[in-house]
DNA sequence: CTAATTTCTGCAAGCGCTTTCAAAAAAGGG
DNA sequence: CCCTTTTTTGAAAGCGCTTGCAGAAATTAG
């Protein structure tokens, strides 16, 4: 992990090296390297199979390295007999080109950095899978890192990627301030998802969170619900706030008074939805429907309802947001805002490829729909 | 993505390059490169900020590149005044070392490859997160790729990693034959999880699937269940087969006749568990408990039971395997075999670091327990 | 069969960084 | 203040691969 040189105060290395580690965080890693063994003789430690280089292949095949390189890259035609010999050598030695050397010589790495917020989240997982699969069909390969919703972590990740000289960066719902993203876009082609930053070099892929939340809330209203609870996402996520705004907008549009009692703070994960819902129920607030800012919160909410003996959708209709794959298998299957995460991922990858190949990414707008399943019902009697 | 030179038939490139793509799969990528623009002038395309090199920093600071390198790596002491100047230059130019050049010069990449089977699976996601977080505290950084349970994909991933000269490889439940893994271990330090391969250089981290499944089944038996259904995992996964074996062993130990009617094929995902269970119910087989080969299958099974009006645990007790985070929030919360995935991931990373730093990995055995929640109940009347 | 082309192929110069070696500078000793 | 020891520093040689250039080989033309 490269030290974060671009930021961090101007600490410097004094003589007594030991002190550095503690005083200057960025240099800590390096201190340890003092003990690094001398350069290895082009092998991965004596105990492992020697590493094969292009030169060895060339020697084995009786040609020059240039010829091998050209065959590998198809940058010139190679006489049939030599090609055969070279390929035999490659197979025999199990040669695989050293991609670090390739990047260096070519001046480009053919890899794109992907910053996710959490590798283990089902939501991002879907997106990553889609990006990976799209990139697989191109000449680029992904480099995944995760920022854990922490600006500091995200910066570290970005430094890491820039250090690896990625050809481009895809940021999934970054939590960095706009200004930083604009600056970043000056250094490397940038694609953003789940967030809209208006700047010349930045390409944002997003659907309208407010609009989608409004859609979901209106659906509940249309089903006759009036007392609709809302489980919020984290306060510092723009998209969470937008969803909340959509909820309020729908109420307003239908002249339903907004009540703060019907809103509880969640955190986008199951546990938050569970606690928030339990708190609302136990505080005596009544509601016939509940809209959660994301599916995971909805799962938690459903468990809370179950715990308090409230049936879904018999007593309370529940709507989520995201349509994670698992939402088809909850009990009952969850009605939720469907925004195909994989489409978003694919579109992001596609846009990046466009960018890298000199095309202007065509803005594919990802459509949002409501997946109506069994967690909601029309309210017949009075709410 | 590097072509798979080590395998694939001995295709060669003839004169008319266009043909190659179709005829020789491995070379397809390369053909496209013919159109690659000439070497870029050390910049990432004219439109972006120029890339800064160590030499530029040296010039800016009025010292030689060696000095800058030494300061960065802490490999020698640098006069205070120069250190200050260098750091100022680094900050001013926003220099980040080119890691490809570093790898090349150092002869090692300081990265470890991690092959998962599916980035989007909640199970692997947990493991990846744990590996990433452990590696973060070391000098190594992870490189994630996914094999999709397909040997061909897994081989491609491995070639990719070897091409990047990773210092080591962690394979999460590989689906490659033992022989190939043994060969791989000759090329690079190797850690395996979810699978046991007895070979000198291979370090396997695993818990006993058979034993764990036996544990879960015996729990159900202990609760008075006799007719216990089983939803299998994919037939070609060793661990799935072991879990099945554990189920049978438990029955045998308690002299309960095994009945093929009580076993249905799943595929480790929700949908498979759903279909399998539905099929069993609809075929008229009766059972008071159901054990699924993994949690996702259990989710599907519970939905099937729900659809057929069977209550969990009122009519059927359900037990899963994995204890995914989501299992605490299913309705009802799922009783399941808990094997801390994150511990496994962490242990794998830890073992890899040990290996890379010349230590012999201490075999941390990951304990398996049963997380007893609300999806199971003691059978009071006759089963 | 020689000359003019057109195809191949090797040489050598990098890519950006690390590291060895030896010289330069600073510090210590008498 | 001169000489030895120790600390700093720079020059230069790679790491493994790509590629411009020019010479060699094969092909075609005359």
């Amino acid at each position: 992990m490269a030290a974060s040189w671009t930021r961090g105060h101007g600490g410097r290395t004094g003589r007594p090296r030991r002190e550095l580690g503690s005083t200057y965080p960025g240099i800590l890693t390096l201190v340890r390297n003092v003990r690094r063994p001398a350069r290895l003789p082009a092998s991965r430690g004596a105990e492992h199979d020697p590493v094969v280089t292009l030169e060895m292949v060339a020697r084995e095949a009786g040609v020059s390295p240039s010829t091998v390189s050209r065959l590998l890259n198809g940058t010139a035609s190679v006489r049939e007999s030599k090609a055969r010999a070279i390929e035999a050598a490659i197979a025999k030695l199990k040669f695989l080109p050293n991609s670090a050397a390739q990047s260096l010589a070519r001046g480009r790495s053919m890899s794109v950095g992907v910053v996710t917020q959490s590798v283990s989240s089902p939501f991002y997982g879907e997106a990553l899978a889609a990006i990976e699969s799209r990139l697989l069909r191109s000449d680029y390969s992904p480099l995944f890192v995760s920022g854990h919703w922490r600006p500091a972590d995200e910066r570290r990740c970005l430094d890491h990627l820039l250090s690896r000289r990625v050809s481009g960066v895809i940021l999934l719902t970054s939590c960095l301030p706009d200004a930083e993203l604009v600056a970043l876009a000056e250094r490397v082609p940038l694609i953003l998802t789940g967030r809209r930053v208006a700047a010349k070099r930045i390409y944002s892929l997003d659907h309208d969170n407010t609009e989608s939340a409004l859609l979901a809330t209106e659906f509940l209203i249309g089903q006759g619900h009036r007392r609709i609870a809302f489980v919020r996402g984290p306060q510092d996520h723009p998209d969470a706030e937008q969803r909340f705004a959509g909820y309020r907008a729908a109420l307003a549009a239908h002249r339903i008074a907004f009540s703060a009692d019907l809103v509880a703070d969640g955190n986008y994960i199951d546990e938050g939805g569970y606690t928030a819902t339990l708190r609302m129920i136990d505080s005596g607030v009544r509601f016939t429907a509940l809209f959660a800012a994301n599916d995971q919160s909805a799962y938690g909410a459903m468990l809370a309802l179950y715990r308090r003996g409230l049936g879904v959708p018999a007593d309370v209709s529940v709507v989520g947001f995201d349509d994670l794959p698992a939402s088809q298998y909850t009990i009952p299957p969850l009605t939720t805002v469907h925004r195909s995460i994989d489409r978003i991922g694919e579109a992001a990858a596609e846009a990046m490829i466009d960018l890298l190949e000199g095309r202007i990414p065509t803005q594919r707008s990802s459509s949002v729909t409501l997946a109506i399943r069994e967690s909601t019902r029309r309210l017949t009697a009075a709410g």
Side-chain angles (χ1 to χ4, degrees), chain A residues 152-290:
Chain A
D153 282 18
E154 203 172 319
R155 290 194 190 95
R156 188 181 37 65
C157 287
L158 287 170
D159 279 355
H160 180 78
L161 294 177
L162 289 176
S163 184
R164 286 194 116 90
R165 300 290 188 270
V166 291
S167 305
V169 170
I170 296 177
L171 267 173
L172 304 180
T173 31
S174 168
C175 57
L176 255 28
D178 283 16
E180 246 171 283
L181 298 179
V182 172
L184 179 62
E186 289 301 322
R187 305 187 69 178
V188 64
L190 188 63
I191 303 278
L192 255 43
T193 76
R195 173 155 176 182
R196 205 168 282 288
V197 174
K200 210 172 110 237
R201 326 198 67 105
I202 299 186
Y203 291 84
S204 310
L205 258 79
D206 200 13
H207 57 90
D208 191 328
N209 278 287
T210 310
E211 188 66 39
S212 313
L214 189 135
L215 173 76
T217 313
E218 289 206 311
F219 168 72
L220 286 170
I221 295 172
Q223 295 287 82
H225 297 278
R226 287 297 172 273
R227 298 198 57 79
I228 304 171
F230 184 72
V231 175
R232 294 176 76 165
Q235 314 264 355
D236 50 339
H237 281 37
D239 52 295
E241 289 310 291
Q242 287 162 21
R243 290 174 200 182
F244 182 45
Y247 162 77
R248 298 193 60 161
L251 295 184
H254 293 265
R255 310 187 182 274
I256 298 175
F258 166 77
S259 157
D261 293 345
L262 283 172
V263 175
D265 290 339
N267 52 5
Y268 269 177
I269 65 176
D270 321 61
E271 176 275 327
Y274 178 73
T275 315
T277 307
L278 224 45
R279 212 180 309 124
M280 280 196 285
I281 298 173
D282 293 346
S283 72
V285 202
R286 291 295 131 212
F287 47 89
T288 62
L290 180 150

Side-chain angles (χ1 to χ4, degrees), chain A residues 76-109:
Chain A
S77 44
V78 172
R79 191 169 309 287
E80 170 110 9
S81 58
K82 304 212 174 190
R84 224 187 275 290
I86 292 172
E87 269 152 11
I90 286 174
K92 175 176 173 193
L93 302 177
K94 293 194 199 308
F95 169 73
L96 282 174
N98 179 328
S99 68
Q102 293 188 138
S103 305
L104 194 56
R106 302 215 255 248
R108 48 222 222 84
S109 69

Side-chain angles (χ1 to χ4, degrees), chain A residues 293-371:
Chain A
N294 78 345
D295 278 5
Q296 288 196 68
S297 302
Y299 303 160
M302 290 209 287
L303 180 59
L305 293 167
Y306 171 80
R307 278 277 156 70
R308 290 298 181 255
L310 295 169
V312 174
D315 300 307
V316 177
S317 288
V318 175
V319 172
F321 198 119
D322 278 350
D323 198 11
L324 297 182
S327 295
Q328 297 175 53
Y329 290 93
T330 54
I331 293 176
L334 186 67
T335 293
T336 181
V337 174
H338 175 89
R339 43 167 186 163
S340 23
I341 316 162
D342 49 345
R343 278 238 136 308
I344 296 178
E346 180 166 0
E350 196 104 26
M352 179 50 78
I353 295 171
D354 278 350
L355 223 48
L356 295 177
E357 297 185 343
R359 273 170 270 129
I360 293 174
T362 54
Q363 282 293 2
R364 300 162 198 69
S365 64
S366 62
S367 66
V368 170
T369 58
L370 193 65

